[in-house]
Amino acid sequence: MTGSTARVFVPGDAAAVSVGADEVATAFEESGAQVVRNGSRGMLWLEPLVEIETDAGRLGYPNVSPDDVAAVLAGDATGIGVVDDHPWLTSQRRVSFARVGVVDPGSIADYEAHGGWAGLRRALSLSPAEVVQEVTDSGLRGRGGAGFPAGIKWRTVLETASDLKFVACNFDEGDSGTFADRMVVEGDPFTLVEGMVITAHAVGANEGYIYVRSEYPHAVAALRRAIDAAYTHGYLGQDVLGSGLHFDLHVRVGAGAYICGEESSMLESLEGHRGEVRAKPPIPAIKGLWDRPTAVNNVLTFCAVPMILSDPVDGGPGWNTYAALGTGRSRGTQVFQLAGNVKQGGIVELPFGVTLRELVEDYGGGTLSGLPVRAAQVGGPLGAYVPATGFEVPMDYEALTETGAMLGHGGIVVFDETVDMARMARFAMEFCAIESCGKCTPCRIGSTRGVETIDRIIAGQDVAANLVLLDDLCDTMVKGSLCAMGGLTPMPVQSAVKHFPEDFEPSGTEHGTQQSGAPV
Amino acid sequence: MTTASTTDRGELVRAIATQHVSDRGPLMPVLHDVMEELGHIAREDVEAIADVLNLSVAEVHGVVSFYADFRTELPATHTVALCRGEACQSVGAEALYAATLAGASRLGDDVEVAEVFCLGNCALGPSGTLDGRLHGRLSAERLDTLTEGWR
């Protein structure tokens, strides 16, 4: 079928590398193949998913090991056909992930050939206020978890007078069950750069920072490479594309603190301080980095911007096409991440409104273990545990909030029936105790008292009274904490108690079988 | 850059800090560079950095002690960091972490077992790093195989 000079795509994505993609890439190179290290298509259960370029399209070969290389090159291996035609992908609506896995993330020419920089070129022909208006009209809301309208935030930065303004990207994706920021940056880093340059133009900023967690070395490398190339080609620097815009972009690496994903804590860390949260007001849009107006957004928020500013998409303005997707006040697409005990984990980008059941069962294929699904935690470690009986909930900001859950950053962690929900509730408090910045009392002390209280419940001591105490403690944390860390830790705890009360009864301690973990 | 064994440590740390002194918010990049060059941040490094960056020793110490990545002692020869995030827990990470912690000496003479909370590999857990390299779908058997060269 193909000779040894075939162009072969072997993902350089960290998830693919974690199951042997580097060794596979080396084996292909040694066979004389021309290897492109693309991003991952997001079908993570198939990694390393190797693709061979042919006249018919890019043919995919799943779970390739170095031993399979000869067979893949000879056309003797069993594949999944043309990857672009795979139903898991064709049924999605990829906007932010349109290029991920397709392009060579190291090639700025490839980015441009796949529609890159069109949004920036058009944005630079508009006034800052016009750009802000289009982002507002698109309905884009912050993808980091809070869901605040991006256009309104940007307008505040634009209208706040200052000799110096900043754009800051929150790439401290610390929520367990989330990896979309990492994958979009590793697979398509120029989209983030473009989104941030457009933002700089829109709000009048000259300096930008991307705060990346240190657990993401592959993403740091991809970003630094992309930023260097963007400078070389005039998309960053003194005079962006001859427009007169001066924008410098820097990468800063975190140092293993979950709390730095909270925006004010991230700003403190960028300034070189302990990652302790700030009281609000003032909001960062008015007083952010070094007390200057700062547009702080999540990676996926910035990555949606180039498409919104491009014109036309599907025959209409980008913002209009974007706003036409979704439901209610949740416009556009959401990048869902299927994780945990799930058979087919990965990236599912769809308009808001898809149900949790469709995601977990149709896309996810149920659990990896093959046992029935018992629960899913939606929205990271601070998100609610949703029982399998509640999976008909549509995935949008408001519908989830109504059920006592939250969308967060779109992570979905699946658990099978062996999960012990009292242990998971305990872990939520333990995690908060480990990662609390310590600034406010409800979070710093409440989390430790929470671990102790749940330990007594698990041990069967005064269960009814301790459940009341736990509820009271959660109430104090929700109402008294400075930020979402202490304020939302009760969400997994209380949802576990509410939906799985049997696990908190004295007999419930026998329920789980997989948790033999080490208490701290 | 020269290595610690051939250069006075204090001079090296001062040189690193000086490289960043005109950056905005230089402390975190300086601490990362010291970690990379020297493997840990010693008390005298804190004093040198504070001096070059015009910060108080307390401020630099406060930052070093806040972040898990900044260590004040040299690491073990080999490090296994296992994820204890919820996604990895759903596929048995707590048991793997407990067993690995209890049996660290089996993996090698000087092995540190650490916990981490999420490596962004949540669909292919349990995840962990071995001397900084990411691995997915870990098990006790897989750890034994991957650490063969350590023994």
Side-chain angles (χ1 to χ4, degrees):
Chain A
M1 179 185 66
T2 44
S4 60
T5 53
R7 202 155 165 246
V8 180
F9 293 80
V10 184
D13 180 275
V17 169
S18 85
V19 287
D22 282 351
E23 291 79 358
V24 173
T26 304
F28 274 109
E29 277 161 2
E30 285 170 356
S31 303
Q34 185 195 341
V35 175
V36 176
R37 301 305 301 270
N38 58 330
S40 168
R41 298 280 193 154
M43 299 187 283
L44 293 174
W45 75 99
L46 299 179
E47 295 294 354
L49 173 61
V50 170
E51 296 173 47
I52 309 274
E53 200 165 56
T54 72
D55 292 340
R58 278 157 61 168
L59 301 176
Y61 298 89
N63 306 119
V64 172
S65 77
D67 294 341
D68 303 327
V69 165
V72 169
L73 284 173
D76 295 336
T78 307
I80 58 166
V82 176
V83 177
D84 282 325
D85 296 339
H86 196 286
W88 214 77
L89 291 175
T90 55
S91 61
Q92 298 189 30
R93 180 69 166 88
R94 291 202 164 181
V95 175
S96 302
F97 268 69
R99 282 178 288 259
V100 177
V102 177
V103 298
D104 175 355
S107 166
I108 198 166
D110 206 15
Y111 180 65
E112 178 137 34
H114 285 82
W117 310 117
L120 174 62
R121 288 209 166 83
R122 189 167 161 278
L124 291 173
S125 73
L126 302 174
S127 73
E130 287 171 324
V131 176
V132 170
Q133 191 59 47
E134 291 200 0
V135 171
T136 306
D137 291 343
S138 76
L140 177 65
R141 291 167 69 174
R143 291 293 188 266
F148 189 82
I152 293 175
K153 186 185 283 185
W154 291 14
R155 184 176 304 284
T156 305
V157 180
L158 173 64
E159 292 175 354
T160 304
S162 173
D163 58 333
L164 185 63
K165 296 182 189 181
F166 297 101
V167 179
C169 175
N170 187 338
F171 187 9
D172 194 36
E173 186 181 47
D175 286 356
S176 174
T178 66
F179 42 83
D181 294 352
R182 178 185 66 68
M183 288 184 63
V184 76
V185 167
E186 289 178 6
D188 186 21
F190 293 107
T191 298
L192 175 58
V193 175
E194 183 179 355
M196 290 186 74
V197 181
I198 294 171
T199 311
H201 171 60
V203 303
N206 299 121
E207 216 172 301
Y209 290 89
I210 303 171
Y211 187 86
V212 195
R213 61 200 301 257
S214 62
E215 291 85 349
Y216 284 0
H218 295 82
V220 171
L223 269 179
R224 290 201 162 128
R225 205 166 48 226
I227 288 172
D228 283 349
Y231 269 106
T232 305
H233 290 81
Y235 297 102
L236 286 171
Q238 295 273 353
D239 183 16
V240 174
L241 295 180
S243 68
L245 171 67
H246 177 191
F247 185 59
D248 288 313
L249 187 54
H250 308 273
V251 174
R252 288 290 171 86
V253 181
Y258 174 77
I259 192 60
C260 290
E262 195 282 332
E263 75 174 347
S264 71
S265 167
M266 181 192 81
L267 298 176
E268 286 291 309
S269 187
L270 277 171
E271 290 183 14
H273 307 304
R274 295 163 67 88
E276 291 180 354
V277 303
R278 297 177 183 174
K280 287 188 211 173
I283 57 170
I286 293 170
K287 279 193 170 193
L289 274 176
W290 292 283
D291 284 345
R292 306 305 171 99
T294 305
V296 186
N297 282 113
N298 173 257
V299 170
L300 292 178
T301 316
F302 287 121
C303 287
V305 169
M307 178 272 187
I308 288 166
L309 265 296
S310 65
D311 184 39
V313 181
D314 298 346
W319 63 265
N320 194 37
T321 303
Y322 195 81
L325 299 165
T327 177
R329 292 202 289 121
S330 303
R331 310 313 310 177
T333 60
Q334 170 69 35
V335 180
F336 299 102
Q337 299 128 82
L338 294 176
N341 196 332
V342 63
K343 196 170 157 196
Q344 300 178 161
I347 294 288
V348 181
E349 183 173 2
L350 284 169
F352 287 99
V354 60
T355 66
L356 186 53
R357 189 195 59 72
E358 289 172 275
L359 289 167
V360 172
E361 290 175 14
D362 298 349
Y363 283 95
T367 62
L368 179 69
S369 62
L371 296 170
V373 175
R374 185 157 188 241
Q377 187 178 27
V378 179
L382 308 177
Y385 285 102
V386 180
T389 51
F391 278 13
E392 290 306 325
V393 61
M395 300 292 278
D396 72 63
Y397 291 109
E398 279 72 32
L400 277 165
T401 304
E402 271 172 35
T403 65
M406 66 165 192
L407 182 60
H409 188 49
I412 296 164
V413 177
V414 180
F415 293 84
D416 72 14
E417 64 179 10
T418 64
V419 66
D420 179 343
M421 296 309 300
R423 283 270 157 209
M424 299 318 295
R426 183 195 189 279
F427 177 77
M429 285 291 189
E430 180 194 353
F431 182 66
C432 184
I434 293 170
E435 296 292 343
S436 173
C437 81
K439 183 148 177 169
C440 71
T441 315
C443 178
R444 182 183 68 245
I445 296 179
S447 51
T448 297
R449 294 290 96 87
V451 171
E452 294 164 358
T453 308
I454 296 172
D455 275 343
R456 286 198 291 274
I457 293 167
I458 290 172
Q461 297 170 14
D462 278 333
V463 172
N466 276 310
L467 280 171
V468 173
L469 183 63
L470 181 64
D471 209 40
D472 194 46
L473 175 68
C474 285
D475 191 50
T476 302
M477 291 175 72
V478 169
K479 290 177 180 156
S481 299
L482 263 179
C483 82
M485 174 104 220
L488 288 174
T489 290
M491 191 179 273
V493 176
Q494 291 183 302
S495 60
V497 174
K498 180 181 172 190
H499 297 299
F500 307 93
E502 63 275 20
D503 286 19
F504 294 82
E505 289 160 7
S507 60
T509 51
E510 294 162 19
H511 191 100
T513 53
Q514 56 114 351
Q515 298 294 348
S516 55
V520 167
Chain B
M1 199 168 281
T2 47
T3 59
S5 56
T6 58
T7 314
D8 176 60
R9 183 175 183 116
E11 274 177 36
L12 180 55
V13 171
R14 281 174 176 278
I16 290 170
T18 304
Q19 276 176 4
H20 292 280
V21 77
S22 58
D23 293 354
R24 256 188 240 284
L27 184 52
M28 297 280 286
V30 168
L31 295 176
H32 273 301
D33 283 0
V34 172
M35 282 295 300
E36 183 155 335
E37 289 294 324
L38 298 165
H40 74 296
I41 300 161
R43 170 75 197 189
E44 63 263 33
D45 303 340
V46 170
E47 289 165 10
I49 293 164
D51 185 44
V52 175
L53 299 184
N54 195 25
L55 298 168
S56 72
V57 172
E59 179 150 27
V60 178
H61 172 77
V63 171
V64 170
S65 59
F66 185 86
Y67 296 94
D69 287 0
F70 300 141
R71 40 193 313 153
T72 52
E73 286 170 1
L74 274 171
T77 312
H78 297 291
T79 303
V80 183
L82 295 175
C83 180
R84 288 187 60 215
E86 285 88 343
C88 286
Q89 285 194 33
S90 76
V91 285
E94 287 290 72
L96 180 66
Y97 175 67
T100 311
L101 196 62
S105 57
R106 273 187 41 249
L107 299 177
D109 287 339
D110 187 26
V111 175
E112 178 184 332
V113 178
E115 60 180 8
V116 288
F117 296 98
C118 197
L119 296 161
N121 195 29
C122 316
L124 296 172
S127 297
T129 60
L130 300 180
D131 288 342
R133 224 193 129 191
L134 182 65
H135 294 274
R137 294 280 186 246
L138 283 174
S139 61
E141 298 73 41
R142 183 107 183 92
L143 273 178
D144 278 346
T145 309
L146 290 167
T147 56
E148 253 167 23
W150 295 3
R151 293 184 286 276

